[in-house]
Amino acid sequence: MSIETYKAYEKDVDFINRYMKAKNAAIGSEVDANSNVANKNIATMAPEIHKRSNINANRLWMYKRIKELYGKDMANEYIRQLEDHEIYRHDESGMPIGTPYCASITLYPFLVDGLSKIGGTSSAPHHYKSFLGGFINLVFAVSAQLCGAVATPEFLAYMDHFIRKEYGNDYYTKPEQVVNMVTGETIEDIVLQGFAQVVYSINQPAAARGSQSVFWNIAYFDKPYFEQLFEGFVFPDGDTMQWESVSWLQKKFMKWFNAERLKNVITFPVETLSLLNDGKEYVDKEWADFAAEMYAEGHSFFTYTSDSVDSLASCCRLRNGIQDNQFSYTLGAGGVSTGSKCVMTINVNRLVQNATKDMKLGIQKYNDWNSDVDKAIRSKVTEQVEKIHKYLLAFNSIVLEMRDAHMIPIYDAGFVSPEKQYLTVGINGLVEAAEYLRIFVGDNEDYRSFVHAVLEPIYEANKAAKTKEVMFNTEYVPAENLGVKNAKWDKKDGYVVPRDCYNSYFYVVEDETTSPIEKFRLHGLRYTDKLDGGSALHCNLDEHLSKPQYEFLLNLAIKEGTPYFTFNIPNTVCNDCGYISKHKLDKCPKCGSENIDYATRVIGYLTRVSKWSAERQAEHARRYYASSTSN
Amino acid sequence: MILYSTTTCPMCHMLAAKMDEKGIKYDKVTDTNILEEKGIMHVPILETDDGSRMNLAEAMYYINNLEGHE
């Protein structure tokens, strides 16, 4: 064999040389950069080399399956749409074809079978410590079978069960009680050690996923949601759920996690608090008050609110006819036994520009929303969503084939069922498409009409295509990479591109004129009622608000029907002494160093800005953090 | 007895396994249309021959105390 044989791999050697010199792992990555990689090293480099091959293999398999199901023309159209960047299939590069995207799992099978049915040797946990250890292994094992996040909404409720087994049902009333006479440890010490064990272990980079830590989400519930989700619930040993101690444990975890983030930039878990409202106020006032308290103390978490207790998925509740919009945002938690098998995202900016170009109408005409534009966009979206449903169904058939071949043990073991996971139509470039049409991106009728022209046809198609076996939803995807890619591709192909990273929100991220109140409105019911998979409002602020101010915004969420939101205030991290402040500062308040970094949410998860890709760092530099005194 | 369940419910699987282990005979209904017609919005539900219904906690207690099935 001559050296010529190996020259085909010259590009890999070149890539390795470039990667070694890159400033961070995200910048070194040339396909699907990800900020969830704390350090650049040989383990993070290894999967990067194969990303292009993975994409090609994924496309070939999809081509064959689409051809088999819908004919050659549709298969060719899939490839054309991907190559022309009209659509994007998420996570083509990292995992083999047929890997489901994300899942919110039930932990029940873990209590019955341990890890034995997903390739492990641990049997069901019977004690607090075996629960904690087994749970960590479970999260890693489940994540290895998914491209994206794993949510464990029941984590704290199950942890509570095991604490009660060891220290009694009233443990939460006597946290100061010493339970280890040798060390002097109290019940509270044992609980906090459990938190630390799980959180620090799960944030450890996992070699199986290119040295990213796993994407892990948890949920907190108010009393009404808790009672609805766990109605009739019985642990395998006959024990039932106990709200009072779970509530105490949830609060304890939030307080602990907030304080711990002063010691380290800890990315996971992404937390979602679910609060039920009655259309006017929060039903559980104690938990609404606690949410405002935690935000005021500088904790950053997502809040989900709805006036329907049925809006959260459950492994064992039957959904009723009222609820079309079951909450299942890929970044958050909330419901149990839900998720998404695959996300394919429409490049809305390109679609809208193509739709109007086909009509040979110049953009100067669009000063006001009009029926021609409305009709053209709806028609193009309808045509697109019909195709995307077919692509998603083809992917679904591959997932089911994998399941039937027992290649996805989390299905066999009952942690989640494919029927409970959505097939997701993503959208990106919505704001940029509105700007192209000369629509002012803000709370106004033109923008609202435009948003509905895009979302309504997808919503209707999703509803019409729903069967007992498959469900579709639509999500305003976080698009950590895609926002950058679409902007780059569109600019190269001559489309109008107003910025180098498309927005992930209904507002323009750098716009200083959109107030926090208007942002809540733009992510509220008037705009998102046809977005059946959800969007996340990131209310970026330059400083923390007071508790009454957060109470006002929490109540505003009810008024505007804003279901899912968080507040981002950049934390300052000193690169010299390691001090972390919850405030956005110009220099370290402890040592005075100006060698500082910030930690904030790149999209849904919180990391150091210096770990982001170059384009995302540029986006962060433009990102507007509203003053706490703005309206 | 009738066990109302769904194919995706892990608690249903556990209850069914428990009943199988005890040798209790039962019919299983998993059709969600039938469950909804009967007003069952949460599973598992165990219905005894006299028509009374039990949730998982009640069903576990019931089958654990059934005479002749130890």
Side-chain angles (χ1 to χ4, degrees), chain A residues 106 108-109 231-234 236 315-320 417 419-420 468, chain B residues 6 8-11 14 31-33 35-36 40-43 55-57:
Chain A
T106 171
Y108 208 82
E231 178 192 356
F233 181 95
V234 178
C315 61
C316 303
R317 279 176 64 76
L318 298 183
R319 288 176 295 143
N320 62 38
S417 299
E419 299 85 359
K420 292 254 180 188
K468 278 191 175 174
Chain B
T6 65
T8 59
C9 158
M11 289 193 289
M14 188 199 71
D31 186 327
T32 50
N33 292 329
L35 299 185
E36 285 184 31
I40 295 171
M41 298 308 294
H42 189 280
V43 287
N55 64 21
L56 178 61

Side-chain angles (χ1 to χ4, degrees), chain A residues 540-544 568-570 583-584 625-629:
Chain A
N540 298 324
L541 301 169
D542 72 348
E543 187 47 275
H544 298 283
N568 295 332
I569 296 91
H583 304 276
K584 186 171 185 283
Y625 289 92
S627 159
S628 54
T629 54

Side-chain angles (χ1 to χ4, degrees), chain A residues 525-538:
Chain A
L525 201 59
R526 273 168 49 79
Y527 292 85
T528 63
D529 58 338
K530 302 299 179 193
L531 192 67
D532 45 16
S535 66
L537 164 61
H538 288 236

Side-chain angles (χ1 to χ4, degrees), chain A residues 292-400:
Chain A
E293 178 183 320
M294 289 309 300
Y295 279 129
E297 286 182 13
H299 194 37
S300 183
F301 55 96
F302 286 89
T303 294
Y304 168 72
T305 185
S306 161
D307 60 3
S308 165
V309 284
D310 291 316
S311 59
L312 292 184
S314 158
C315 61
C316 303
R317 279 176 64 76
L318 298 183
R319 288 176 295 143
N320 62 38
I322 302 167
Q323 126 211 28
D324 282 333
N325 299 348
Q326 196 171 58
F327 180 67
S328 180
Y329 192 64
T330 53
L331 271 177
V336 182
S337 259
T338 182
S340 179
K341 277 173 280 193
C342 183
V343 186
M344 290 191 193
T345 290
I346 301 171
N347 179 349
V348 178
N349 192 26
R350 191 175 282 236
L351 178 144
V352 165
Q353 293 191 39
N354 285 342
T356 52
K357 272 179 193 162
D358 290 347
M359 291 171 66
K360 296 184 180 168
L361 296 171
I363 62 165
Q364 296 301 330
K365 289 188 177 178
Y366 305 145
N367 293 319
D368 296 301
W369 189 249
N370 66 60
S371 60
D372 286 345
V373 181
D374 187 274
K375 206 172 156 188
I377 291 173
R378 283 173 187 269
S379 164
K380 199 79 176 174
V381 171
T382 303
E383 187 187 309
Q384 178 61 77
V385 78
E386 274 174 20
K387 290 179 198 169
I388 258 190
H389 276 184
K390 286 181 175 147
Y391 307 153
L392 286 167
L393 286 169
F395 185 88
N396 188 57
S397 77
I398 296 170
V399 170
L400 297 182

